[in-house]
Amino acid sequence: MRFVRSASSWTTAIETAARLVTPRAILKDPISLVSHEMSQLATNIGSLIGSGHPTLNRIGAYYFESQGKKIRPLLVLLLSRALSEIPLEQRDRLKKIDDLDIPEQPVYPGTKSLSAIFNDPTGPITPLKILHGISPNIMLDPLTKPHESLPEFDHNRGILPKQRRLAEIVEMIHTASLLHDDVIDNSDSRRNRPSGNIAFNNKMSVLAGDFLLGRASVSISRLRNPEVIELTSTSIANLVEGEFMQLKNTILQPDEDLIEDNTKRIPKPTGAVPTEPHEYSVRLPDSNGKIHTITHEQNVDAAFEYYTHKTYLKTASLISKSCRSAAILSGARDNVIENCYQFGRNLGLCFQLVDDILDYTQTSEQLGKPGLADLNLGLATAPILFAWKENPALGELIQRKFKQDGDVETAIMEVHKHDGLGKTKELAVKYRDLALQNLREALPESDSRSALEFLTNAVVTRTK
């Protein structure tokens, strides 16, 4: 497949990729192309998030109305189509899923059909009057209305119904996190519109985000695949843990009893419930359980490890786990599933590193959200960490979260002086190359794989 570069390779990559997972009839509608919608994604999600309260519906749909990259569902759909190119005899992990996951519902040896129990692979399990607590005049399920033109299109492209629903779920989870983040960060804009907390208010934004997560959880359960349910649900918990890592950096602020820049002391635990962090966490080198004096290099390395893990939890987890889920639903073998997961992880880390660069180089108008937001929020991202490695004195600014007059300006100057942006770009390219390697090891050649490669390459050159 031949791709032609334009002035914006990122926009071109998204539009080209979207054409592979969007019915031609919808592509003829220029309105859908303006926001790069994949097969009326927002319309389908709107049916999933419908509630009985009009105001909740309006704020729940608010971010879906605006122009956005929709990169996460696009990746799921493209990857799903690329996975369908793997011959069925090489997708023999089907014993862990039911035959409703496969187009035309073929019967595989040793595969138990659930079609007698579930006619619709994404339909309700419990009676609707119980789910909604009321008996409607017309028994329609607002959570499972399909788009009329999708089944035949998806069948022809090898996209499974559950993979299409997975793409919608992923965008719901991501959008819920945006509603919450904008409240936490006191943001005033998102995608060139007033943010949800400004257009409505903080309480409604938080509740709408919670509602989206609740609706997403319902849709996750209806995928009826325990492994995918576990992965997707864990990605929600990962988002929260990553946000906490950002709110309280335990490497730079190791005192567990203090929060809010060490100005507020929290209650001591009673011991009735265990509160120790699990082993999958980042900590400073210690001796006999006590933090000891470490070198500047060790401190910076620990800060980088903390930053990378936080980035995985906040950004790469949802992408990587959704890519892994798409591969599981396809019945692919373990090595393919693992490469799909690593692809999403490496691409997610690359994506965030580029975001960190753009925060320094682009204006608020170009980004569609506030520029220099990370420094103003006191966050130490990759560019300033690279500068800190060269200039230990920056540790004091990072420690106080750039709160004193002139700290932000000094940080910007030091980042440019020590080529923090260039070094961050090199690290992003490293993750991009790993993601490309994962794609080539997991998938046969196809238009969809080429589109994924093109999209991956475009991540490092995007400008918003």
Side-chain angles (χ1 to χ4, degrees):
M1 186 175 188
R2 184 173 179 268
F3 295 103
V4 179
R5 292 190 177 275
S6 68
S8 173
S9 60
W10 177 237
T11 301
T12 302
I14 292 176
E15 290 183 350
T16 304
R19 292 176 188 278
L20 292 177
V21 294
T22 306
R24 184 169 299 180
I26 296 176
L27 278 173
K28 291 180 180 178
D29 176 10
I31 297 177
S32 68
L33 285 181
V34 169
S35 56
H36 312 300
E37 289 295 342
M38 283 75 66
S39 196
Q40 291 196 347
L41 181 77
T43 301
N44 289 350
I45 291 176
S47 68
L48 293 177
I49 63 176
S51 82
H53 197 289
T55 307
L56 178 55
N57 286 340
R58 288 180 65 177
I59 187 171
Y62 183 67
Y63 281 170
F64 297 110
E65 295 171 343
S66 58
Q67 181 174 346
K69 297 178 284 293
K70 307 293 189 297
I71 185 66
R72 291 157 187 82
L74 179 57
L75 286 170
V76 170
L77 295 175
L78 272 179
L79 185 62
S80 298
R81 184 175 174 184
L83 286 161
S84 72
E85 300 290 338
I86 300 175
L88 282 176
E89 58 269 19
Q90 295 178 25
R91 288 191 277 146
D92 49 12
R93 201 174 180 262
L94 300 171
K95 60 184 179 180
K96 295 189 177 181
I97 58 176
D98 64 78
D99 62 351
L100 291 176
D101 287 315
I102 308 299
E104 298 182 351
Q105 300 185 16
V107 178
Y108 295 94
T111 301
K112 182 179 180 180
S113 174
L114 299 182
S115 57
I117 305 174
F118 303 127
N119 293 322
D120 179 0
T122 55
I125 302 170
T126 307
L128 296 176
K129 63 181 180 180
I130 294 177
L131 291 178
H132 298 288
I134 191 171
S135 297
N137 295 327
I138 302 176
M139 288 299 292
L140 294 177
D141 184 5
L143 302 181
T144 56
K145 295 177 183 177
H147 188 285
E148 294 179 358
S149 67
L150 289 182
E152 181 180 356
F153 174 83
D154 285 349
H155 167 73
N156 293 335
R157 297 299 188 277
I159 299 173
L160 309 176
K162 291 186 180 182
Q163 290 171 327
R164 173 71 66 174
R165 180 53 45 85
L166 174 65
E168 295 160 2
I169 291 169
V170 167
E171 188 65 7
M172 290 169 69
I173 294 172
H174 172 62
T175 302
S177 74
L178 297 184
L179 283 164
H180 288 159
D181 284 352
D182 285 345
V183 172
I184 293 169
D185 298 338
N186 294 313
S187 298
D188 57 11
S189 63
R190 170 74 64 178
R191 297 172 180 170
N192 292 312
R193 301 177 77 191
S195 53
N197 49 307
I198 298 298
F200 301 89
N201 60 42
N202 282 347
K203 288 183 179 180
M204 287 187 172
S205 289
V206 170
L207 290 171
D210 292 345
F211 184 76
L212 283 180
L213 292 178
R215 281 299 200 224
S217 298
V218 172
S219 295
I220 291 169
S221 69
R222 290 178 180 177
L223 295 177
R224 300 183 177 99
N225 183 297
E227 192 171 1
V228 172
I229 292 171
E230 180 182 60
L231 283 165
T232 314
S233 300
T234 301
S235 71
I236 299 175
N238 290 158
L239 285 168
V240 177
E241 188 174 357
E243 190 64 42
F244 258 82
M245 288 182 72
Q246 183 163 292
L247 288 171
K248 165 71 175 177
N249 190 316
T250 54
I251 297 298
L252 301 175
Q253 301 169 320
D255 191 333
E256 297 178 6
D257 295 329
L258 295 174
I259 61 173
E260 295 183 2
D261 303 338
N262 294 333
T263 61
K264 181 176 182 178
R265 188 168 296 276
I266 61 177
K268 289 281 188 182
T270 64
V273 179
T275 58
E276 286 297 311
H278 56 60
E279 295 181 0
Y280 299 94
S281 59
V282 181
R283 308 181 196 184
L284 282 169
D286 64 88
S287 176
N288 298 322
K290 295 182 179 180
I291 296 176
H292 60 75
T293 302
I294 61 175
T295 66
H296 171 66
E297 289 73 18
Q298 287 176 315
N299 205 11
V300 174
D301 288 344
F304 258 112
E305 184 182 357
Y306 189 94
Y307 161 82
T308 302
H309 188 53
K310 181 206 73 173
T311 298
Y312 168 78
L313 293 173
K314 278 180 61 71
T315 303
S317 173
L318 183 58
I319 297 174
S320 62
K321 287 181 171 66
S322 61
C323 288
R324 186 178 183 91
S325 296
I328 290 169
L329 292 173
S330 77
R333 292 174 178 172
D334 287 347
N335 66 311
V336 174
I337 292 172
E338 180 62 20
N339 269 300
C340 287
Y341 168 76
Q342 292 296 339
F343 161 72
R345 180 184 185 277
N346 290 320
L347 183 64
L349 292 174
C350 174
F351 194 94
Q352 186 57 51
L353 286 165
V354 174
D355 254 9
D356 293 344
I357 295 171
L358 296 178
D359 192 56
Y360 280 83
T361 60
Q362 302 295 90
T363 65
S364 299
E365 290 73 20
Q366 290 170 316
L367 291 174
K369 57 184 179 181
L372 291 175
D374 293 333
L375 284 177
N376 288 317
L377 289 170
L379 304 180
T381 56
I384 193 66
L385 291 179
F386 276 117
W388 180 31
K389 189 171 185 178
E390 301 299 325
N391 181 5
L394 283 174
E396 294 183 11
L397 279 70
I398 294 172
Q399 187 76 30
R400 62 179 181 247
K401 294 190 171 184
F402 316 106
K403 294 298 184 184
Q404 291 187 9
D405 290 342
D407 280 358
V408 170
E409 291 75 14
T410 299
I412 294 172
M413 181 181 67
E414 291 294 316
V415 164
H416 289 292
K417 178 180 178 181
H418 298 289
D419 195 26
L421 298 179
K423 292 172 182 175
T424 302
K425 180 71 171 290
E426 290 177 6
L427 187 57
V429 169
K430 172 189 171 183
Y431 282 116
R432 178 205 64 186
D433 292 344
L434 289 172
L436 290 171
Q437 181 180 341
N438 294 137
L439 285 176
R440 290 158 187 167
E441 290 181 2
L443 304 169
E445 290 187 14
S446 68
D447 285 355
S448 299
R449 195 189 83 174
S450 296
L452 283 167
E453 292 172 353
F454 187 46
L455 201 58
T456 300
N457 277 311
V459 166
V460 297
T461 59
R462 65 191 179 93
T463 57
K464 64 179 181 178

Short mmCIF file of all heavy atoms in Angstrom, two decimals, residues 256 269 273-279 281 283:
data_model
loop_
_atom_site.label_atom_id
_atom_site.label_comp_id
_atom_site.label_asym_id
_atom_site.label_seq_id
_atom_site.Cartn_x
_atom_site.Cartn_y
_atom_site.Cartn_z
N GLU A 256 5.74 9.48 53.33
CA GLU A 256 4.41 8.98 53.01
C GLU A 256 3.30 9.68 53.80
O GLU A 256 2.12 9.54 53.48
CB GLU A 256 4.33 7.47 53.25
CG GLU A 256 5.27 6.66 52.37
CD GLU A 256 5.21 5.18 52.67
OE1 GLU A 256 4.35 4.78 53.49
OE2 GLU A 256 6.00 4.41 52.09
N PRO A 269 -2.31 5.31 59.45
CA PRO A 269 -3.16 4.13 59.31
C PRO A 269 -3.33 3.42 60.65
O PRO A 269 -2.43 3.42 61.49
CB PRO A 269 -2.40 3.26 58.30
CG PRO A 269 -0.97 3.69 58.43
CD PRO A 269 -1.01 5.15 58.75
N VAL A 273 -6.35 -2.38 58.13
CA VAL A 273 -6.33 -2.75 56.70
C VAL A 273 -4.91 -2.55 56.19
O VAL A 273 -4.30 -1.51 56.43
CB VAL A 273 -7.31 -1.88 55.89
CG1 VAL A 273 -7.25 -2.25 54.42
CG2 VAL A 273 -8.73 -2.02 56.43
N PRO A 274 -4.35 -3.54 55.46
CA PRO A 274 -2.98 -3.38 54.93
C PRO A 274 -2.90 -2.20 53.98
O PRO A 274 -3.79 -2.00 53.14
CB PRO A 274 -2.74 -4.70 54.19
CG PRO A 274 -3.70 -5.66 54.79
CD PRO A 274 -4.91 -4.86 55.17
N THR A 275 -1.85 -1.39 54.09
CA THR A 275 -1.69 -0.22 53.22
C THR A 275 -0.34 -0.21 52.50
O THR A 275 0.00 0.77 51.84
CB THR A 275 -1.82 1.08 54.03
OG1 THR A 275 -0.84 1.09 55.08
CG2 THR A 275 -3.21 1.21 54.64
N GLU A 276 0.43 -1.29 52.65
CA GLU A 276 1.73 -1.34 51.99
C GLU A 276 1.55 -1.47 50.48
O GLU A 276 0.70 -2.23 50.02
CB GLU A 276 2.55 -2.52 52.51
CG GLU A 276 3.11 -2.33 53.92
CD GLU A 276 4.09 -1.17 53.97
OE1 GLU A 276 4.99 -1.11 53.12
OE2 GLU A 276 3.94 -0.31 54.87
N PRO A 277 2.37 -0.76 49.68
CA PRO A 277 2.28 -0.90 48.22
C PRO A 277 2.74 -2.28 47.78
O PRO A 277 3.58 -2.90 48.44
CB PRO A 277 3.22 0.19 47.69
CG PRO A 277 4.16 0.46 48.81
CD PRO A 277 3.39 0.24 50.07
N HIS A 278 2.18 -2.77 46.66
CA HIS A 278 2.59 -4.08 46.16
C HIS A 278 3.97 -3.99 45.51
O HIS A 278 4.56 -2.91 45.39
CB HIS A 278 1.56 -4.66 45.19
CG HIS A 278 1.23 -3.77 44.03
ND1 HIS A 278 2.17 -3.34 43.12
CD2 HIS A 278 0.06 -3.22 43.61
CE1 HIS A 278 1.61 -2.60 42.20
NE2 HIS A 278 0.33 -2.49 42.48
N GLU A 279 4.48 -5.13 45.10
CA GLU A 279 5.86 -5.19 44.60
C GLU A 279 6.03 -4.51 43.25
O GLU A 279 7.15 -4.20 42.85
CB GLU A 279 6.31 -6.65 44.51
CG GLU A 279 6.40 -7.35 45.88
CD GLU A 279 6.86 -8.78 45.75
OE1 GLU A 279 7.12 -9.23 44.61
OE2 GLU A 279 6.96 -9.46 46.78
N SER A 281 5.94 -1.63 42.07
CA SER A 281 6.01 -0.20 42.28
C SER A 281 7.46 0.25 42.20
O SER A 281 8.38 -0.56 42.28
CB SER A 281 5.40 0.18 43.63
OG SER A 281 6.08 -0.47 44.69
N ARG A 283 10.58 2.42 43.72
CA ARG A 283 11.06 2.99 44.97
C ARG A 283 12.54 3.31 44.84
O ARG A 283 13.25 2.74 44.00
CB ARG A 283 10.86 2.01 46.13
CG ARG A 283 9.43 1.48 46.25
CD ARG A 283 9.28 0.55 47.42
NE ARG A 283 8.07 -0.24 47.32
CZ ARG A 283 7.65 -1.09 48.25
NH1 ARG A 283 8.37 -1.25 49.35
NH2 ARG A 283 6.54 -1.77 48.09
#
